[in-house]
Amino acid sequence: MEGCLITFEGGEGSGKSTQLGHVADYLSKKGYPVMQTAEPGGTEIGKAIRALLLSGRHDPISPKAELLLYLADRAQHIEQVVRPALKNRKVVLCDRFTDSTLIYQGYARGIDFAEMKSLLSFAADAVVPDLTLLLDIDVEKGLLRLKKRAEINRFDRESHAFHQKVRQGYLALAKQGPSRIRLIPADQTEAAVFETIKKEVDVLLP
Ligand code: TYD
């Protein structure tokens, strides 16, 4: 038996990183061996790729180059971090994964989904999450939360229309996408959001 992979997805300021921390504490207390990780930047090479992608120092980055950099980050992350952890029967909690690429580079930047599909699977080495928690929040509210942060990246500075596309993309994915995806309304208190998430996690890991 292998471990399992839970991914956290959502637009800017949806609170997914905070909730990932809560889930890690919760599952650790239940006795599960948990590993927390994130994309982009979950490996040494990944940190360098993350800086290329997010610092804004290399603009303009073509949408195709951007896609391939995210996929390079993922390929390394899967081989070096995620696969070994799954083999060790860990519960891997990953902040963003393939769905982020589908939504940001596909839906929002406009790269054709059919063209991307095999690349996504190739980079992820066919790893598919067991559960995806998709945190949904109104774009204005999310961006307002972001302003309180120290680090503002290249995507945070994108237009309002871009962030709307990201939200619509995620909502469409939750509606038509695979059953592993759970839509979590994130415009509630941190504790209330966690209560909703806990119910979903308990189904997978009783
Ligand atoms: P990060 O600082 O990790 O932001 P967040 O807290 O919103 O996750 O920045 C990651 C950014 O990279 C985020 O704006 C989404 C974007 N991204 C993509 O465009 N494609 C991808 O495949 C991934 C993993 C992230």
Side-chain angles (χ1 to χ4, degrees):
M1 207 198 83
E2 285 208 338
C4 72
L5 174 63
I6 303 178
T7 58
F8 291 71
E9 295 281 353
E12 317 304 321
S14 58
K16 61 189 169 43
S17 311
T18 308
Q19 293 296 333
L20 187 151
H22 292 322
V23 172
D25 292 344
Y26 176 65
L27 289 176
S28 299
K29 279 185 196 133
K30 275 175 84 162
Y32 286 101
V34 173
M35 197 200 71
Q36 299 181 52
T37 188
E39 293 189 358
T43 62
E44 275 311 301
I45 294 175
K47 286 190 178 73
I49 297 173
R50 180 184 168 91
L52 288 174
L53 280 165
L54 297 181
S55 69
R57 266 182 278 130
H58 308 284
D59 281 353
I61 301 180
S62 90
K64 284 185 182 174
E66 183 181 275
L67 167 69
L68 294 170
L69 286 168
Y70 277 110
L71 296 186
D73 170 77
R74 181 159 309 129
Q76 185 73 22
H77 188 222
I78 285 285
E79 186 171 321
Q80 204 179 338
V81 177
V82 178
R83 274 261 191 235
L86 292 175
K87 285 222 167 77
N88 277 326
R89 300 180 179 189
K90 293 247 164 65
V91 176
V92 180
L93 305 180
C94 189
D95 196 341
R96 297 196 180 281
F97 194 59
T98 301
D99 296 325
S100 280
T101 321
L102 198 63
I103 299 305
Y104 281 80
Q105 280 64 54
Y107 211 91
R109 292 272 195 245
I111 295 179
D112 183 57
F113 175 58
E115 276 188 330
M116 270 172 60
K117 208 175 164 200
S118 63
L119 289 175
L120 290 182
S121 171
F122 175 71
D125 196 24
V127 170
V128 177
D130 297 281
L131 174 67
T132 297
L133 300 162
L134 170 41
L135 275 69
D136 176 58
I137 191 159
D138 176 78
V139 168
E140 280 84 21
K141 286 183 183 157
L143 292 177
L144 212 68
R145 283 185 185 175
L146 266 197
K147 284 196 181 135
K148 295 175 191 151
R149 269 198 214 167
E151 189 205 18
I152 298 291
N153 70 41
R154 211 174 119 248
F155 282 87
D156 303 335
R157 286 190 291 268
E158 279 288 348
S159 67
H160 193 270
F162 180 88
H163 292 293
Q164 280 294 359
K165 268 194 193 166
V166 167
R167 185 178 188 209
Q168 292 316 317
Y170 271 130
L171 288 174
L173 186 68
K175 218 171 177 180
Q176 304 145 15
S179 57
R180 67 176 163 83
I181 300 178
R182 301 283 185 283
L183 188 67
I184 312 285
D187 186 15
Q188 314 168 59
T189 63
E190 211 176 298
V193 175
F194 181 59
E195 278 308 309
T196 315
I197 286 179
K198 204 158 80 173
K199 289 193 187 104
E200 300 295 350
V201 170
D202 282 340
V203 175
L204 183 69
L205 300 167

